[in-house]
Amino acid sequence: MMRAFFRVAWQVMRKDMTVEIRSREILLTTLLFAVSVVLIFSFALVREGRAPDDVAAGILWVAISFSGTLAMGRTFERERYNDTLRALILAPADRPAIYVGKLLGLLLLMLLVEIVLVPMVGLLFAAPIFAYPGMLLMLLVSGTLGFAAVGTLFAAMLVRVRSRDTLLPVLLYPITVPVMIGGVRGTAALFQAVPDEPMARFWIGLLLFWDAIFVTLALWTFEPVMTE
Amino acid sequence: MQYLSVVDVARHFGRRKALSQISFSCAAGEMIGLLGPNGAGKSTLLNILATLIAPSKGEVKYGDQGANDGADVRAQIGMLGHDLFLYPELTARENLEFFAHLYGVTDVHSTATRALHTAGLVDRGDDFVAGFSRGMRQRVALERALLHEPKLILLDEPFTGLDQTSTAALVGRLRERQRAGCLIVLATHDLDVADGVLSRAIYLKDGRMVGSDTGSSNLADRYRRAMDRGPRNADSALWGGE
Amino acid sequence: MQKLTTPFIVLSAGMLLVAPWIINAAPYESTMGLVQKVFYFHFPVAILFLVSAIICGVNSARVLFWKNERADGWAVAAAELGFVLGALTLVTGPLWARKAWGVWWVWDARLTMSLVLFLTFAAYMLLRRYGGPGSDRLGAGMALFGMVNVPFIYVSVNVWRTLHPMTSVVPTLPTDMGIPLWFCFAAFTMLFVALLNLRATLEHQRTRLEALYLAQDEA
């Protein structure tokens, strides 16, 4: 039972990755968008050639969430194109397994974007990204997971809605506020002049707790919201 | 033994009635045609049969199971949607193997090979579906729907955009499945092709069943007669007094 | 329930009518001055704002997991009321804040939570309005997340920064301030119950009318 669940999730993720590796469309567009967001923020915040302290974490997470929204919209647009989401739902597999597969695909994509994004922010805003690499990684993974868990569910349920492109961020951002606060505060604790390790560890714990709740809730909700 | 029975099914989307009072039942080995003009509710009915849409009223029985039995029922159903359900960025083989995994087929590779063989695309298996003609895509899509040997096969407008050879091949494949004891339900408005293929025709108009017959010829005439029997103007019927 | 609606509305209207006199009679708070009096409205409205989030979330869960169609009427009613109460909370709060902290808005746990919850209600209503057929299910999914979210936001901003007076001041209030407060609370609660009931009934009747309309020619 459990093996079948993960086999389906794995296959769905692998399929998404195969498509993405061939076109690289989502990765490249999302990445460029994330970079543009960082650029725009630098215009807003940099004064006399220097950015104020403490903004790097905020800019990083805003770029992650904006570009993540773009990526989730596109992954489900692909499933809509030949109505393949219907085919996935029609398969006798556990429906939550399909959710997990889509979530893992999205998570991987967002983490790939972050691999470029984080060093860039570190470079442009003089953030010490290598001071606590393990903790920074944990913050990025747990924060991105919480954001993607809600995003995947919402994007999936908005597939049939005409104004999905505008509704997705409108629904998603209020719900993911706690994840954003956790990500930004935790990262800021690591980036500040005197890093506050216990604070970062505290936020990682909180983020993991929220991830667990968001993922559980999404697994419950996916099946009922996907039947018309 | 009736395999599929539809009991007083209705479905509305908000105020819009897509279907009402649909009842029929059919046995394994039949080829049923859902006929009617655009907007008659053919696709909605197919989606209800596929458990993708829940009826607002009434129920559908698959043998002794209902739509709520979830995966067990879905495993018996193979559907070819109007949009074909294929990923254009993947090759034909990848598409087939992916869905074979999803359907829990045990020997994925050889099942996909067999499907490619039946579709007559053995040498095109590693080409992207995006580069296929409509007829080729249709063949892959049909084999994709049949991978897990479903008992109930649902097809939404399967003849659209096919040339004569492809149509004949499709009809042949469906007949073969019919002889193997599958129940086939197809929605179409192409009466010329459907004539002589169907073992039973169900006529839909404005979301209602306006007739059903089992003849084997002159489908166009029967269709015209059934459509004349239906309500001439849906609105007048709706607003008629109670 | 139904029968109580009219007396509740009349009673609460009467009470809210005399409320200004009762509030006026309450002692003048020396540090905050006149602005303190907004508290008599702010507190009940803010509490009911949270209550409507709970009602909306619980009923959404009933829609999703128990396929209870009537629950949808309650969820919609709670969401719309929550939106209005949220707006009132967000207007009355800053009036107090301006005097107490010298600014209209601070990023304190409760303020942030209220703003996010208000946005959630607004998003829910947008989804219901533009979601097309099936938006009741989608809305229910969204509302469920929205409700679970409330304590999370609270905790996260609380760790981040907090200024808002603790709720623990309420039981310690002097009696002559407590009476007008609970008087207003009772009036708002009755109004809330009545409006919620009215709106849910309207929604239920609309559903019934739809069902009748759809069943009309099936006799």
Side-chain angles (χ1 to χ4, degrees), chain C residues 109-191:
Chain C
R110 287 193 198 184
L111 275 71
T112 313
M113 181 183 68
S114 306
L115 181 61
V116 174
L117 188 57
F118 177 72
L119 284 179
T120 310
F121 276 133
Y124 174 86
M125 278 159 64
L126 281 179
L127 179 59
R128 294 299 298 249
R129 178 126 165 63
Y130 300 107
S135 61
D136 45 346
R137 291 280 182 80
L138 308 189
M142 152 102 196
L144 201 62
F145 273 83
M147 183 188 67
V148 171
N149 212 16
V150 172
F152 290 6
I153 305 166
Y154 188 77
V155 171
S156 47
V157 192
N158 211 1
V159 180
W160 176 27
R161 45 177 58 169
T162 286
L163 277 175
H164 198 283
M166 298 315 256
T167 330
S168 54
V169 302
V170 172
T172 63
L173 233 47
T175 334
D176 38 7
M177 282 189 186
I179 288 172
L181 178 66
W182 294 113
F183 180 84
C184 289
F185 193 83
F188 273 112
T189 307
M190 273 192 285
L191 187 64

Side-chain angles (χ1 to χ4, degrees), chain A residues 1-220:
Chain A
M1 196 60 206
M2 236 21 213
R3 272 190 53 196
F5 186 95
F6 285 109
R7 198 195 59 228
V8 169
W10 165 250
Q11 287 298 333
V12 171
M13 186 191 92
R14 209 183 65 148
K15 183 267 300 170
D16 275 5
M17 284 303 117
T18 313
V19 172
E20 184 53 37
I21 287 167
R22 282 194 190 140
S23 72
R24 285 187 287 276
E25 178 212 341
I26 299 181
L27 185 65
L28 293 179
T29 47
T30 309
L31 188 61
L32 196 66
F33 180 71
V35 172
S36 315
V37 169
V38 173
L39 189 71
I40 301 250
F41 266 91
S42 67
F43 292 144
L45 298 170
V46 172
R47 289 268 177 287
E48 289 158 14
R50 270 195 57 84
D53 298 339
D54 218 26
V55 295
I59 292 175
L60 176 64
W61 281 96
V62 168
I64 289 173
S65 79
F66 280 15
S67 60
T69 316
L70 212 64
M72 47 192 81
R74 268 308 290 167
T75 22
F76 280 94
E77 199 58 33
R78 266 184 194 156
E79 296 289 358
R80 216 177 69 83
Y81 182 60
N82 278 337
D83 220 357
T84 41
L85 189 60
R86 227 172 246 270
L88 294 182
I89 294 294
L90 195 59
D94 257 350
R95 283 177 181 169
I98 291 162
Y99 165 81
V100 171
K102 296 299 288 183
L103 170 61
L104 290 177
L106 186 67
L107 192 63
L108 204 63
L109 214 58
M110 287 179 72
L111 289 174
L112 282 176
V113 171
E114 285 163 25
I115 288 181
V116 177
L117 200 58
V118 172
M120 197 183 99
V121 169
L123 206 72
L124 293 179
F125 297 93
I129 56 168
F130 293 115
Y132 295 93
M135 274 200 189
L136 185 61
L137 186 71
M138 277 303 287
L139 275 167
L140 287 171
V141 172
S142 56
T144 311
L145 176 60
F147 188 76
V150 185
T152 305
L153 177 73
F154 283 10
M157 69 188 206
L158 287 174
V159 160
R160 279 188 293 271
V161 176
R162 210 168 340 123
S163 41
R164 58 188 166 278
D165 295 335
T166 39
L167 275 178
L168 179 61
V170 168
L171 303 193
L172 185 58
Y173 293 160
I175 303 292
T176 49
V177 160
V179 175
M180 282 300 285
I181 295 177
V184 172
R185 289 295 113 203
T187 313
L190 291 182
F191 284 178
Q192 65 200 19
V194 186
D196 188 351
E197 242 184 295
M199 192 49 131
R201 210 172 285 124
F202 168 81
W203 283 113
I204 291 173
L206 219 51
L207 281 172
L208 287 174
F209 174 68
W210 288 331
D211 289 349
I213 294 198
F214 279 155
V215 171
T216 316
L217 210 55
L219 287 173
W220 281 351

Side-chain angles (χ1 to χ4, degrees), chain C residues 25-69:
Chain C
Y28 193 80
E29 213 262 339
S30 50
T31 46
M32 288 295 293
L34 194 60
V35 175
Q36 181 266 338
K37 301 209 184 275
V38 81
F39 175 69
Y40 298 114
F41 272 28
H42 178 72
F43 177 73
V45 166
I47 294 286
L48 291 172
F49 175 42
L50 286 181
V51 169
S52 42
I54 295 170
I55 294 176
C56 183
V58 169
N59 281 294
S60 295
R62 287 168 66 201
V63 170
L64 274 186
F65 303 128
W66 290 279
K67 308 220 182 307
N68 185 331
E69 283 177 23

Side-chain angles (χ1 to χ4, degrees), chain A residues 7-8 11-12 15 18-19 22 78-79 81-84 86-93 95 223 227-228, chain B residues 11 47 50-54 71 74-75 79 83 85-91 94 98-99 101-104 128:
Chain A
R7 198 195 59 228
V8 169
Q11 287 298 333
V12 171
K15 183 267 300 170
T18 313
V19 172
R22 282 194 190 140
R78 266 184 194 156
E79 296 289 358
Y81 182 60
N82 278 337
D83 220 357
T84 41
R86 227 172 246 270
L88 294 182
I89 294 294
L90 195 59
R95 283 177 181 169
E223 165 107 44
T227 6
E228 275 181 77
Chain B
R11 171 71 210 207
N47 279 318
T51 74
L52 285 171
I53 295 182
R74 293 204 295 276
M79 186 179 190
D83 291 316
F85 299 163
L86 294 174
Y87 293 97
E89 304 92 338
L90 298 182
T91 67
E94 282 167 338
F98 170 64
F99 281 103
H101 274 296
L102 237 56
Y103 276 89
F128 294 118

Side-chain angles (χ1 to χ4, degrees), chain B residues 145-187:
Chain B
L146 300 179
L147 279 174
H148 57 298
E149 302 187 351
K151 274 200 266 179
L152 171 61
I153 302 169
L154 307 169
L155 306 104
D156 196 355
E157 299 288 357
F159 304 119
T160 313
L162 295 191
D163 59 21
Q164 273 187 329
T165 343
S166 305
T167 308
L170 175 59
V171 169
R173 178 75 169 121
L174 292 179
R175 281 226 164 101
E176 180 267 314
R177 282 286 86 197
Q178 185 188 4
R179 278 194 299 278
C182 297
L183 168 60
I184 300 166
V185 181
L186 58 93

Side-chain angles (χ1 to χ4, degrees), chain B residues 123-137:
Chain B
D123 48 339
R124 299 292 305 269
D126 293 323
D127 292 354
F128 294 118
V129 169
F132 282 13
S133 70
R134 170 85 195 177
M136 287 155 78
R137 280 185 211 201

